[in-house]
Amino acid sequence: MSTSETVLTLAAILKAKQWRLALAESCTGGLVCATLTELAGSSDWFERGYVTYSNEAKTECLGVPAELIQSFGAVSEPVAKAMAEGAQLNAGVNAAISITGVAGPSGGSAEKPVGTVCFAWAIQNDAGENRVPSKTMYFVGDRQAIREQACQYALSELAKILED
């Protein structure tokens, strides 16, 4: 499914549920928000996005504990989960996506090479119960290719989660 088809699917699901979506982006730098808002009428289901590129921004804007970043690194599933939960809470929405990774061309390490991207999806059902699945993916290509793959993956996974 193309990114635009995925956005249309997500829009339909979110509108049917009367849910709103928030984003917490790091390595994608607002690309997911821009992709979502290319669709006319996205204001019906898209609430806001946070671009928290620095560790300080993750802490100040999303409430990610500095100790969590120190313990696991900014590119980690625990930090991705905290980012998603912070975006969800701050925006008052049912669903939030977070993305944190190493888009390159520098900044990678043996443990977290360029292309390592961590995702989380904070989902609150109608009963008020929250779940926050997370996943780490490894993408290949240049900086833009990694960012585009991360964008597509984040959106397609949210569609799968919401369709379940």
Side-chain angles (χ1 to χ4, degrees):
M1 186 180 310
S2 73
T3 302
S4 58
E5 291 170 327
T6 301
V7 172
L8 286 171
T9 299
L10 266 178
I13 294 168
L14 291 165
K15 283 173 72 172
K17 291 179 173 287
Q18 297 182 327
W19 283 12
R20 295 184 68 74
L21 174 65
L23 262 290
E25 298 185 65
S26 186
C27 66
T28 48
L31 180 62
V32 181
C33 291
T35 299
L36 292 172
T37 58
E38 283 178 13
L39 181 64
S42 57
S43 60
D44 291 341
W45 49 269
F46 180 74
E47 175 62 33
R48 68 183 76 167
Y50 302 89
V51 177
T52 54
Y53 210 70
S54 71
N55 292 345
E56 293 78 15
K58 290 172 180 63
T59 298
E60 291 171 14
C61 298
L62 300 171
V64 177
E67 302 78 36
L68 195 68
I69 296 171
Q70 290 169 352
S71 295
F72 296 97
V75 179
S76 65
E77 288 185 39
V79 169
K81 285 183 170 196
M83 289 171 64
E85 290 171 322
Q88 182 187 43
L89 180 67
N90 289 348
V93 296
N94 292 86
I97 300 171
S98 70
I99 304 170
T100 181
V102 185
S106 61
S109 68
E111 293 174 346
K112 297 174 186 176
V114 169
T116 303
V117 184
C118 299
F119 302 85
W121 301 268
I123 311 297
Q124 184 179 60
N125 66 22
D126 294 330
E129 300 163 332
N130 219 40
R131 63 187 171 110
V132 190
S134 62
K135 182 135 188 197
T136 300
M137 296 295 293
Y138 301 92
F139 300 115
V140 296
D142 64 15
R143 181 176 181 81
Q144 190 59 28
I146 290 167
R147 289 163 37 100
E148 288 172 1
Q149 290 170 78
C151 176
Q152 171 61 28
Y153 183 79
L155 296 174
S156 63
E157 284 301 300
L158 178 61
K160 288 178 192 172
I161 290 166
L162 295 180
E163 287 175 334
D164 286 347

